[in-house]
Amino acid sequence: DSGVTQTPKHLITATGQRVTLRCSPRSGDLSVYWYQQSLDQGLQFLIQYYNGEERAKGNILERFSAQQFPDLHSELNLSSLELGDSALYFCASSVEGIPRDYGYTFGSGTRLTVV
Amino acid sequence: ILNVEQSPQSLHVQEGDSTNFTCSFPSSNFYALHWYRWETAKSPEALFVMTLNGDEKKKGRISATLNTKEGYSYLYIKGSQPEDSATYLCASYSGGGADGLTFGKGTHLIIQP
């Protein structure tokens, strides 16, 4: 157990629907990062939150949004889902605001299948 | 856009042999280079974080070097064992904080008994 908890582990939903992925960071970590891994693609950075505020933004679609709550857990909301959104979504946490001295701690991922 | 390239894409190595693979990254505005090991059905685990040119880090039989001037890092595994089979990811972070870590696609290492 890495200390980063992601739920659910698997999710199957229909096109056009909306889902919420949840992540609880390792105790003491202030940063939460969301990454997407699609077939044959590397880990694609979506968004980072640090201590409740958005810190950095990657190639996140407008249909996707995220937030970090006062208890530091984070949620990634995916709406108007398309077949191409099927992917493995990882959450990672870190004690730092920028990944300079410490590695990320990854959760086990949420496998999203859009049918 | 920061591109991180890893080679080779996959590698078969005989048990007991040593091996190495490469990560290349743009050297401008460099802040940090990370290596992760990703075993099947698990999540990536951090191996090393390196920030200074010439850095060398070691963990057991695995070591890594960093050249920030030319933008590459090598990962070495000495005396490969079956438990070393995994995908090895490198990721680079550049200054500005706009993009988080940028990951390469990984080198998939298979150790053959």
Side-chain angles (χ1 to χ4, degrees), chain B:
Chain B
I1 295 177
L2 188 66
N3 289 320
V4 177
E5 304 288 340
Q6 292 188 247
S7 63
Q9 188 174 354
S10 65
L11 190 55
H12 287 70
V13 174
Q14 213 55 35
E15 182 178 352
D17 287 351
S18 297
T19 187
N20 64 85
F21 26 93
T22 306
C23 171
S24 62
F25 54 90
S27 54
S28 59
N29 298 320
F30 172 84
Y31 262 50
L33 191 285
H34 293 219
W35 281 100
Y36 292 81
R37 174 168 57 202
W38 191 359
E39 296 178 66
T40 303
K42 295 186 177 180
S43 47
E45 290 184 358
L47 286 172
F48 306 113
V49 178
M50 297 182 288
T51 57
L52 299 176
N53 185 47
D55 258 354
E56 291 188 29
K57 295 270 178 100
K58 186 175 180 181
K59 184 183 287 189
R61 294 179 291 98
I62 304 177
S63 60
T65 61
L66 179 66
N67 182 322
T68 62
K69 294 185 188 302
E70 296 182 42
Y72 65 83
S73 175
Y74 293 131
L75 190 81
Y76 301 89
I77 301 178
K78 186 177 178 181
S80 303
Q81 299 298 309
E83 60 265 30
D84 296 328
S85 295
T87 296
Y88 291 82
L89 301 173
C90 76
S92 180
Y93 179 71
S94 63
D99 297 321
L101 274 179
T102 299
F103 282 83
K105 291 186 178 182
T107 291
H108 184 49
L109 177 65
I110 298 170
I111 307 302
Q112 298 170 321

